[in-house]
Amino acid sequence: MTESATVSTRQSEPEALVQKSRRSRVRITSPMLAIPVVVFLGAFFLYPILMMIVKSVTDVPADGRIWTNFAWFFSDDTNMRIYWNTLLTGGRVTVFCILVAYPMAYAMICAKGVWKLAILGVVLLPFWTSAVVRNFAWVVILQDRGVLNYLLALVGIAPVGLLGTSTAVTIGMTQVLLPFAVLPMYTTMQKIDQNLMRAALMLGARPVVAFATVFLPLSLTGVFAGAILVFVLTLGFYVTPAILGSVREAMLPQIIFRQVTDLLAWGRASAMSVVLLVTTIAILAIGAMLTRKLRDRIGTK
């Protein structure tokens, strides 16, 4: 018995050493695996942001101070009008995306088989085409002699001039950003227990009442997530407003581009970018706080 126990102990010792070496190797190498990611993020994200912040307070006139560029931005009426127009455009696009995305996400939940794949294909269609191609397609549709006015003329409606207006920009951005609203909603709706709706119907609630009191509140976290994501993405749009909009309906990214390319005013462009960055961070913080409160409120019911 003693010899067999000794042999088994000797056989288990190499296995224990192997397992110990593997654990130590994992502990040593796991942090090292994050080094390329950290270097990449630092070189291509953190460093440009830091340089932008530095230029916003250092690239100033000889007689200026560190806040000169920010004072110029907030004291200029045109800049403030463009800033608020950027926020208003983002709000309009967010509202339209939510109104269109919610029925599509709900249809994906209810659909089966081929129909679900068809709706998903429609949602993901903007990802499969170039941004420039999509915007020029809207130019063809919305121009004065475009497809839309041709169809309106067939039914006896006077033509409308949409190209170069905020309406055209809203339509184009809504079509591009629609998937970013649909997918968070679909993910949230998919986690909702369908038995809750059946229970409400069995207890005598009408389908509309059951949907409004049971399904809709449980899906609001997905609505909030999609709305925040869409709104933040609208703040950095350049191509769609430049092609479908006009100078009067310009957004802040267009003005930043002109400050750099036409005027070589890196300080002012950096100050605008910092304002846009701070606005985005504030919106994300407020959205995260509201989403957390909504989740806590739903969880306590």
Side-chain angles (χ1 to χ4, degrees), residues 8-21:
S8 61
T9 304
R10 291 177 178 176
Q11 290 177 349
S12 61
E13 285 179 358
E15 297 178 359
L17 292 175
V18 171
Q19 293 178 358
K20 185 177 180 181
S21 63

Side-chain angles (χ1 to χ4, degrees), residues 229-286:
L229 184 60
V230 170
F231 188 84
V232 168
L233 290 175
T234 59
L235 300 181
F237 257 61
Y238 171 78
V239 176
T240 301
I243 296 178
L244 300 180
S246 63
V247 178
R248 292 175 299 177
E249 303 295 337
M251 296 179 63
L252 203 56
Q254 296 171 262
I255 306 303
I256 294 173
F257 178 79
R258 290 177 182 174
Q259 288 289 334
V260 174
T261 57
D262 297 343
L263 303 176
L264 297 179
W266 289 93
R268 291 183 173 183
S270 299
M272 289 181 172
S273 302
V274 170
V275 171
L276 198 59
L277 178 63
V278 172
T279 303
T280 303
I281 294 174
I283 293 170
L284 288 174
I286 295 172

